[in-house]
Amino acid sequence: MTSLSLLGRRLGAALTLLLMAPAHLLPAQQPAPSAPRMGLGAPPPSVRSEADLVRFIEDLEAMQWVLDRAGALEGYAQWKGERHHQVAAVARLETSLSTRRDYARVLDQWKGRVKDSLLARRLELQVRYFLPAKADPALALALDDLQIAIQDTFRQFRYRVAGRSLTQTQLAAIVDSSSDRKLRREAFEAIAQIGERTGGPIRQAMAVTDRIGRQQGFPSGAAAR
């Protein structure tokens, strides 16, 4: 069943790529039909006009949309507790995109120069998306790995309550709705059981987040959020 579920998600992602259509833009922002498109991971094109910028941003948005859809599918598999998900692989692809310094440079060159208000807003969103490019890409990848490992631990951990082994969802259901006050208390106190497994990695992830934020020019990692 797990292999069929994984195959289904991969087929869904493939169909998403095949069926992806251009966004419905305002006439003023429609790229020329003959304009070449930027391939996945390709070098940035020459952007000398707002029309060129529209094409560039549209290609970036398409890549981001596909990665977001793939991340949502695999994130659901992780949430269900499946061990054979591809969250890590998708996260690495997304980080590899958001840390592209060549893309970030092109976008930064257009800050404050765009006359079209809608395009200016799209540019602003892209500049934010590529903020990780101002930091060490290795740190961003390390943070991805830490966060995914922490989430896997939460989903796969089993809490011991009243002689039973419970998932996080089952534990929360007892805490929220059980009519047995003693059982609710035992379930609530059991939440701390996972601390030994996640405390260290969470502190490590916080430290990496802080380093990334400072490299991006913020006073701390929290300020970068």
Side-chain angles (χ1 to χ4, degrees):
M1 182 62 69
T2 300
S3 60
L4 288 175
S5 175
L6 179 59
L7 177 60
R9 296 200 307 276
R10 288 178 175 173
L11 287 174
L15 286 173
T16 296
L17 282 167
L18 290 172
L19 297 174
M20 185 175 61
H24 294 287
L25 303 175
L26 296 177
Q29 293 196 52
Q30 284 285 6
S34 60
R37 311 309 305 190
M38 182 174 67
L40 184 64
S46 175
V47 180
R48 299 180 179 178
S49 66
E50 287 197 8
D52 292 338
L53 183 62
V54 168
R55 287 191 291 272
F56 180 49
I57 289 179
E58 188 180 59
D59 288 342
L60 294 177
E61 290 170 342
M63 295 180 202
Q64 292 157 6
W65 184 82
V66 170
L67 290 173
D68 181 72
R69 290 292 299 162
L73 287 169
E74 294 305 317
Y76 179 63
Q78 183 188 44
W79 178 82
K80 291 194 298 182
E82 294 187 16
R83 295 179 180 273
H84 303 291
H85 59 71
Q86 298 296 320
V87 171
V90 175
R92 282 182 164 270
L93 286 173
E94 186 167 10
T95 297
S96 296
L97 177 61
S98 66
T99 54
R100 287 287 297 263
R101 292 176 177 172
D102 51 351
Y103 292 174
R105 278 194 297 270
V106 173
L107 296 167
D108 284 342
Q109 290 169 0
W110 278 90
K111 287 192 297 187
R113 296 173 54 193
V114 176
K115 297 178 181 179
D116 183 278
S117 60
L118 179 57
L119 180 58
R121 176 58 177 161
R122 292 170 71 190
L123 173 63
E124 179 185 358
L125 292 174
Q126 290 300 323
V127 169
R128 290 182 184 178
Y129 180 89
F130 285 95
L131 269 179
K134 298 182 181 297
D136 182 357
L139 285 178
L141 291 171
L143 182 59
D144 282 342
D145 291 342
L146 280 167
Q147 291 174 329
I148 292 164
I150 292 168
Q151 190 63 32
D152 277 340
T153 300
F154 272 103
R155 293 304 175 192
Q156 296 169 12
F157 188 80
R158 296 297 179 263
Y159 301 84
R160 297 299 300 175
V161 178
R164 298 163 58 194
S165 180
L166 303 177
T167 65
Q168 185 181 35
T169 301
Q170 292 169 330
L171 185 73
I174 292 175
V175 173
D176 291 342
S177 59
S178 175
S179 59
D180 186 333
R181 184 173 182 178
K182 181 180 177 181
L183 181 61
R184 286 203 314 271
R185 181 183 181 88
E186 186 176 350
F188 178 78
E189 292 176 346
I191 296 173
Q193 292 175 9
I194 199 172
E196 293 183 3
R197 297 274 300 275
T198 59
I202 287 174
R203 287 190 292 273
Q204 188 178 355
M206 291 172 64
V208 174
T209 298
D210 190 66
R211 289 178 62 189
I212 291 174
R214 293 179 187 277
Q215 288 185 7
Q216 290 174 352
F218 295 96
S220 68
R225 297 293 175 176

